Amino acid sequence: MTEWIAVITITLLAVISPGPDFAMVSRNSLLLSRRSGVLTALGIGLGVLVHVSYTLLGVGLLIQQSAWLFTTIKLLGALYLIHLGLKMLRTQKPGDFAHSALVPVSDLEALRTGFLTNALNPKTTVFIVSLFIQVVRPDTSLGMQVSYGLFIAVAHIAWFAIVAMCFSAGAVRERLLAVRHWIDRAFGGLLVFFGVLLGIASST
C-alpha cells in the first residue's frame, strides 16, 4: 500500500507539471478540435507505455547509465520539438477568418504527434526509470510493476484528456480562434524553447 501511495503521488505531481505534452495537447485542443486534443492525449499515454516497457525490460537502466545513448535520445527529442515549434512559428495571419479554418489533421496524425512528443521526451525517461529504481522494491512482482506502469499511462491520458476538454470548450475558444495565428506561434515558441533547453542539456 505504501508503495502504491508513493507511485500515485509522484505520478500525479509529474503529470500536472507543465512541459511539451501540455503545450501540444493545449494547442491541438484549442486550435483544431476536442477530438484532436483527446487523441493527442491518448498518444501521450502510448508514449508512456514505451518508457514503461523498456524500463521493465531493464533497458531503462542501460539508458540511464550510458551517457552517449541518453544524449542521443535527448538530441532526438530536442530536434523533434524544435521542428514542431518552427512549423507553428511560421503560421500566417489568415486573410479571411470566415473561410480560413486550420487544415484538420487526421486521427492518426494527432495520435502520432502525442506519441512522439512523449516517447522522445527524456524527462519522461528519467521520471519512470527513477520511479521504478527508487520507489519500487526489487521483490515487487512483475504483475504489480506492470500495474504501476499502466496506472502511469492512464494517469497521463486522463489528465491530458481533461486539459483537452477545457481548452476546446466554450465561447472563449471561439474568441481565441480569431487570433489563432498568434496562439499557434506562442505554442510554437514554447516547443522551440523546450527543445533548446534539451539541446543545451545534451551538450553539457
Side-chain angles (χ1 to χ4, degrees):
M1 182 60 67
T2 301
E3 196 172 81
W4 257 115
I5 292 174
V7 170
I8 291 172
T9 302
I10 295 172
T11 297
L12 294 180
L13 290 174
V15 168
I16 64 176
S17 63
D21 293 342
F22 184 88
M24 186 55 62
V25 172
S26 302
R27 183 263 178 186
N28 285 356
S29 309
L30 180 61
L31 300 183
L32 297 175
S33 68
R34 175 173 295 180
R35 182 181 181 87
S36 292
V38 172
L39 285 170
T40 303
L42 180 58
I44 288 170
L46 294 177
V48 169
L49 288 178
V50 171
H51 297 291
V52 171
S53 297
Y54 65 63
T55 298
L56 292 180
L57 290 172
V59 180
L61 185 60
L62 171 63
I63 293 174
Q64 190 180 54
Q65 295 179 344
S66 175
W68 71 268
L69 183 56
F70 190 59
T71 298
T72 299
I73 294 174
K74 279 187 174 182
L75 287 174
L76 287 174
L79 290 173
Y80 180 70
L81 292 178
I82 292 172
H83 166 70
L84 288 179
L86 290 176
K87 284 177 62 178
M88 294 179 195
L89 285 172
R90 291 196 295 267
T91 301
Q92 299 298 313
K93 181 178 181 179
D96 182 2
F97 177 71
H99 301 91
S100 57
L102 285 177
V103 177
V105 300
S106 67
D107 291 352
L108 182 60
E109 186 174 352
L111 191 71
R112 184 187 64 184
T113 299
F115 174 79
L116 291 177
T117 299
N118 186 274
L120 294 176
N121 187 351
K123 287 187 176 181
T124 310
T125 300
V126 173
F127 159 61
I128 292 180
V129 173
S130 299
L131 180 66
F132 275 85
I133 290 177
Q134 299 176 18
V135 176
V136 180
R137 298 189 307 273
D139 59 344
T140 299
S141 68
L142 178 60
M144 187 60 69
Q145 292 187 47
V146 171
S147 298
Y148 293 155
L150 290 176
F151 168 77
I152 295 170
V154 170
H156 277 75
I157 294 172
W159 167 250
F160 288 114
I162 292 172
V163 171
M165 297 291 184
C166 292
F167 275 85
S168 61
V172 174
R173 177 176 180 267
E174 296 301 322
R175 288 195 290 270
L176 289 176
L177 284 177
V179 291
R180 65 179 180 271
H181 59 292
W182 289 115
I183 296 173
D184 219 13
R185 292 173 186 175
F187 280 120
L190 276 176
L191 290 180
V192 171
F193 174 72
F194 287 131
V196 170
L197 283 183
L198 281 179
I200 293 174
S202 301
S203 59
T204 58

mmCIF file of all heavy atoms in Angstrom, residues 75-98:
data_model
loop_
_atom_site.group_PDB
_atom_site.id
_atom_site.type_symbol
_atom_site.label_atom_id
_atom_site.label_comp_id
_atom_site.label_asym_id
_atom_site.label_seq_id
_atom_site.Cartn_x
_atom_site.Cartn_y
_atom_site.Cartn_z
ATOM 1 N N LEU A 75 18.918 14.544 -27.851
ATOM 2 C CA LEU A 75 19.054 15.310 -29.087
ATOM 3 C C LEU A 75 17.893 15.036 -30.037
ATOM 4 O O LEU A 75 17.379 15.959 -30.696
ATOM 5 C CB LEU A 75 20.391 14.980 -29.766
ATOM 6 C CG LEU A 75 21.630 15.557 -29.075
ATOM 7 C CD1 LEU A 75 22.903 15.052 -29.744
ATOM 8 C CD2 LEU A 75 21.596 17.086 -29.098
ATOM 9 N N LEU A 76 17.473 13.778 -30.132
ATOM 10 C CA LEU A 76 16.332 13.443 -30.976
ATOM 11 C C LEU A 76 15.070 14.158 -30.486
ATOM 12 O O LEU A 76 14.298 14.704 -31.277
ATOM 13 C CB LEU A 76 16.099 11.930 -30.994
ATOM 14 C CG LEU A 76 17.108 11.101 -31.790
ATOM 15 C CD1 LEU A 76 16.837 9.608 -31.598
ATOM 16 C CD2 LEU A 76 17.044 11.459 -33.269
ATOM 17 N N GLY A 77 14.872 14.136 -29.166
ATOM 18 C CA GLY A 77 13.717 14.832 -28.599
ATOM 19 C C GLY A 77 13.781 16.320 -28.845
ATOM 20 O O GLY A 77 12.781 16.956 -29.199
ATOM 21 N N ALA A 78 14.967 16.909 -28.696
ATOM 22 C CA ALA A 78 15.134 18.350 -28.917
ATOM 23 C C ALA A 78 14.845 18.713 -30.366
ATOM 24 O O ALA A 78 14.135 19.692 -30.647
ATOM 25 C CB ALA A 78 16.561 18.766 -28.540
ATOM 26 N N LEU A 79 15.380 17.939 -31.293
ATOM 27 C CA LEU A 79 15.168 18.218 -32.720
ATOM 28 C C LEU A 79 13.697 18.101 -33.100
ATOM 29 O O LEU A 79 13.182 18.898 -33.897
ATOM 30 C CB LEU A 79 16.013 17.267 -33.573
ATOM 31 C CG LEU A 79 17.528 17.511 -33.524
ATOM 32 C CD1 LEU A 79 18.262 16.406 -34.280
ATOM 33 C CD2 LEU A 79 17.859 18.880 -34.117
ATOM 34 N N TYR A 80 13.009 17.111 -32.532
ATOM 35 C CA TYR A 80 11.590 16.940 -32.855
ATOM 36 C C TYR A 80 10.771 18.117 -32.340
ATOM 37 O O TYR A 80 9.916 18.658 -33.059
ATOM 38 C CB TYR A 80 11.067 15.634 -32.250
ATOM 39 C CG TYR A 80 9.596 15.386 -32.544
ATOM 40 C CD1 TYR A 80 9.178 15.083 -33.837
ATOM 41 C CD2 TYR A 80 8.643 15.474 -31.532
ATOM 42 C CE1 TYR A 80 7.834 14.875 -34.120
ATOM 43 C CE2 TYR A 80 7.307 15.256 -31.816
ATOM 44 C CZ TYR A 80 6.907 14.957 -33.100
ATOM 45 O OH TYR A 80 5.580 14.758 -33.372
ATOM 46 N N LEU A 81 11.019 18.557 -31.107
ATOM 47 C CA LEU A 81 10.281 19.686 -30.546
ATOM 48 C C LEU A 81 10.565 20.970 -31.318
ATOM 49 O O LEU A 81 9.654 21.755 -31.602
ATOM 50 C CB LEU A 81 10.643 19.871 -29.076
ATOM 51 C CG LEU A 81 10.192 18.780 -28.108
ATOM 52 C CD1 LEU A 81 10.663 19.085 -26.696
ATOM 53 C CD2 LEU A 81 8.675 18.613 -28.135
ATOM 54 N N ILE A 82 11.824 21.180 -31.682
ATOM 55 C CA ILE A 82 12.177 22.377 -32.452
ATOM 56 C C ILE A 82 11.519 22.344 -33.825
ATOM 57 O O ILE A 82 11.029 23.362 -34.327
ATOM 58 C CB ILE A 82 13.706 22.508 -32.561
ATOM 59 C CG1 ILE A 82 14.301 22.824 -31.178
ATOM 60 C CG2 ILE A 82 14.089 23.591 -33.567
ATOM 61 C CD1 ILE A 82 15.813 22.789 -31.142
ATOM 62 N N HIS A 83 11.485 21.170 -34.435
ATOM 63 C CA HIS A 83 10.835 21.018 -35.749
ATOM 64 C C HIS A 83 9.359 21.394 -35.669
ATOM 65 O O HIS A 83 8.857 22.167 -36.496
ATOM 66 C CB HIS A 83 10.997 19.583 -36.222
ATOM 67 C CG HIS A 83 10.116 19.213 -37.377
ATOM 68 N ND1 HIS A 83 10.304 19.712 -38.656
ATOM 69 C CD2 HIS A 83 9.021 18.402 -37.450
ATOM 70 C CE1 HIS A 83 9.369 19.233 -39.459
ATOM 71 N NE2 HIS A 83 8.584 18.440 -38.751
ATOM 72 N N LEU A 84 8.664 20.855 -34.661
ATOM 73 C CA LEU A 84 7.247 21.182 -34.494
ATOM 74 C C LEU A 84 7.060 22.672 -34.207
ATOM 75 O O LEU A 84 6.170 23.323 -34.754
ATOM 76 C CB LEU A 84 6.643 20.363 -33.349
ATOM 77 C CG LEU A 84 6.429 18.872 -33.586
ATOM 78 C CD1 LEU A 84 5.845 18.227 -32.324
ATOM 79 C CD2 LEU A 84 5.497 18.622 -34.758
ATOM 80 N N GLY A 85 7.913 23.200 -33.328
ATOM 81 C CA GLY A 85 7.798 24.600 -32.959
ATOM 82 C C GLY A 85 8.011 25.539 -34.127
ATOM 83 O O GLY A 85 7.271 26.524 -34.296
ATOM 84 N N LEU A 86 8.993 25.256 -34.969
ATOM 85 C CA LEU A 86 9.270 26.115 -36.124
ATOM 86 C C LEU A 86 8.111 26.087 -37.124
ATOM 87 O O LEU A 86 7.791 27.113 -37.738
ATOM 88 C CB LEU A 86 10.567 25.674 -36.804
ATOM 89 C CG LEU A 86 11.853 25.950 -36.010
ATOM 90 C CD1 LEU A 86 13.069 25.395 -36.737
ATOM 91 C CD2 LEU A 86 12.017 27.450 -35.766
ATOM 92 N N LYS A 87 7.479 24.926 -37.265
ATOM 93 C CA LYS A 87 6.303 24.851 -38.145
ATOM 94 C C LYS A 87 5.195 25.767 -37.636
ATOM 95 O O LYS A 87 4.528 26.456 -38.417
ATOM 96 C CB LYS A 87 5.796 23.406 -38.228
ATOM 97 C CG LYS A 87 6.634 22.501 -39.107
ATOM 98 C CD LYS A 87 6.126 21.066 -39.084
ATOM 99 C CE LYS A 87 4.720 20.972 -39.630
ATOM 100 N NZ LYS A 87 4.237 19.573 -39.664
ATOM 101 N N MET A 88 4.992 25.787 -36.325
ATOM 102 C CA MET A 88 3.947 26.631 -35.748
ATOM 103 C C MET A 88 4.318 28.112 -35.833
ATOM 104 O O MET A 88 3.452 28.970 -36.045
ATOM 105 C CB MET A 88 3.702 26.236 -34.294
ATOM 106 C CG MET A 88 3.133 24.850 -34.117
ATOM 107 S SD MET A 88 2.902 24.454 -32.353
ATOM 108 C CE MET A 88 2.691 22.678 -32.451
ATOM 109 N N LEU A 89 5.595 28.423 -35.675
ATOM 110 C CA LEU A 89 6.027 29.816 -35.734
ATOM 111 C C LEU A 89 5.821 30.423 -37.121
ATOM 112 O O LEU A 89 5.712 31.641 -37.267
ATOM 113 C CB LEU A 89 7.504 29.928 -35.342
ATOM 114 C CG LEU A 89 7.810 29.796 -33.843
ATOM 115 C CD1 LEU A 89 9.320 29.717 -33.613
ATOM 116 C CD2 LEU A 89 7.230 30.966 -33.077
ATOM 117 N N ARG A 90 5.753 29.557 -38.128
ATOM 118 C CA ARG A 90 5.560 30.047 -39.499
ATOM 119 C C ARG A 90 4.089 30.226 -39.855
ATOM 120 O O ARG A 90 3.761 30.567 -40.987
ATOM 121 C CB ARG A 90 6.213 29.085 -40.503
ATOM 122 C CG ARG A 90 7.736 29.080 -40.452
ATOM 123 C CD ARG A 90 8.328 28.446 -41.683
ATOM 124 N NE ARG A 90 7.996 27.040 -41.770
ATOM 125 C CZ ARG A 90 8.770 26.064 -41.295
ATOM 126 N NH1 ARG A 90 9.905 26.361 -40.685
ATOM 127 N NH2 ARG A 90 8.416 24.794 -41.416
ATOM 128 N N THR A 91 3.192 30.013 -38.889
ATOM 129 C CA THR A 91 1.761 30.192 -39.134
ATOM 130 C C THR A 91 1.478 31.626 -39.562
ATOM 131 O O THR A 91 1.912 32.581 -38.920
ATOM 132 C CB THR A 91 0.940 29.861 -37.875
ATOM 133 O OG1 THR A 91 1.196 28.502 -37.492
ATOM 134 C CG2 THR A 91 -0.550 30.029 -38.147
ATOM 135 N N GLN A 92 0.744 31.775 -40.668
ATOM 136 C CA GLN A 92 0.444 33.097 -41.201
ATOM 137 C C GLN A 92 -0.912 33.595 -40.719
ATOM 138 O O GLN A 92 -1.826 32.812 -40.445
ATOM 139 C CB GLN A 92 0.457 33.064 -42.733
ATOM 140 C CG GLN A 92 1.794 32.669 -43.332
ATOM 141 C CD GLN A 92 2.894 33.646 -42.973
ATOM 142 O OE1 GLN A 92 2.711 34.858 -43.083
ATOM 143 N NE2 GLN A 92 4.032 33.127 -42.528
ATOM 144 N N LYS A 93 -1.060 34.910 -40.646
ATOM 145 C CA LYS A 93 -2.339 35.502 -40.289
ATOM 146 C C LYS A 93 -3.325 35.270 -41.413
ATOM 147 O O LYS A 93 -3.021 35.563 -42.579
ATOM 148 C CB LYS A 93 -2.188 37.008 -40.063
ATOM 149 C CG LYS A 93 -3.486 37.697 -39.664
ATOM 150 C CD LYS A 93 -3.257 39.168 -39.406
ATOM 151 C CE LYS A 93 -4.556 39.853 -38.993
ATOM 152 N NZ LYS A 93 -4.378 41.285 -38.711
ATOM 153 N N PRO A 94 -4.519 34.724 -41.128
ATOM 154 C CA PRO A 94 -5.490 34.444 -42.186
ATOM 155 C C PRO A 94 -6.050 35.725 -42.782
ATOM 156 O O PRO A 94 -6.310 36.696 -42.082
ATOM 157 C CB PRO A 94 -6.583 33.640 -41.472
ATOM 158 C CG PRO A 94 -6.478 34.083 -40.050
ATOM 159 C CD PRO A 94 -5.018 34.342 -39.797
ATOM 160 N N GLY A 95 -6.256 35.700 -44.084
ATOM 161 C CA GLY A 95 -6.811 36.874 -44.738
ATOM 162 C C GLY A 95 -8.304 36.996 -44.533
ATOM 163 O O GLY A 95 -8.844 38.087 -44.398
ATOM 164 N N ASP A 96 -9.001 35.889 -44.493
ATOM 165 C CA ASP A 96 -10.453 35.892 -44.304
ATOM 166 C C ASP A 96 -10.803 34.845 -43.281
ATOM 167 O O ASP A 96 -10.806 33.654 -43.559
ATOM 168 C CB ASP A 96 -11.150 35.586 -45.640
ATOM 169 C CG ASP A 96 -12.681 35.628 -45.517
ATOM 170 O OD1 ASP A 96 -13.168 35.939 -44.414
ATOM 171 O OD2 ASP A 96 -13.348 35.366 -46.529
ATOM 172 N N PHE A 97 -11.065 35.271 -42.054
ATOM 173 C CA PHE A 97 -11.281 34.330 -40.953
ATOM 174 C C PHE A 97 -12.436 33.379 -41.231
ATOM 175 O O PHE A 97 -12.402 32.218 -40.880
ATOM 176 C CB PHE A 97 -11.554 35.103 -39.650
ATOM 177 C CG PHE A 97 -11.861 34.198 -38.499
ATOM 178 C CD1 PHE A 97 -10.874 33.420 -37.928
ATOM 179 C CD2 PHE A 97 -13.153 34.109 -37.995
ATOM 180 C CE1 PHE A 97 -11.163 32.584 -36.856
ATOM 181 C CE2 PHE A 97 -13.435 33.270 -36.926
ATOM 182 C CZ PHE A 97 -12.430 32.526 -36.369
ATOM 183 N N ALA A 98 -13.462 33.861 -41.887
ATOM 184 C CA ALA A 98 -14.657 33.036 -42.117
ATOM 185 C C ALA A 98 -14.364 31.852 -43.023
ATOM 186 O O ALA A 98 -15.070 30.863 -43.010
ATOM 187 C CB ALA A 98 -15.761 33.891 -42.729
#
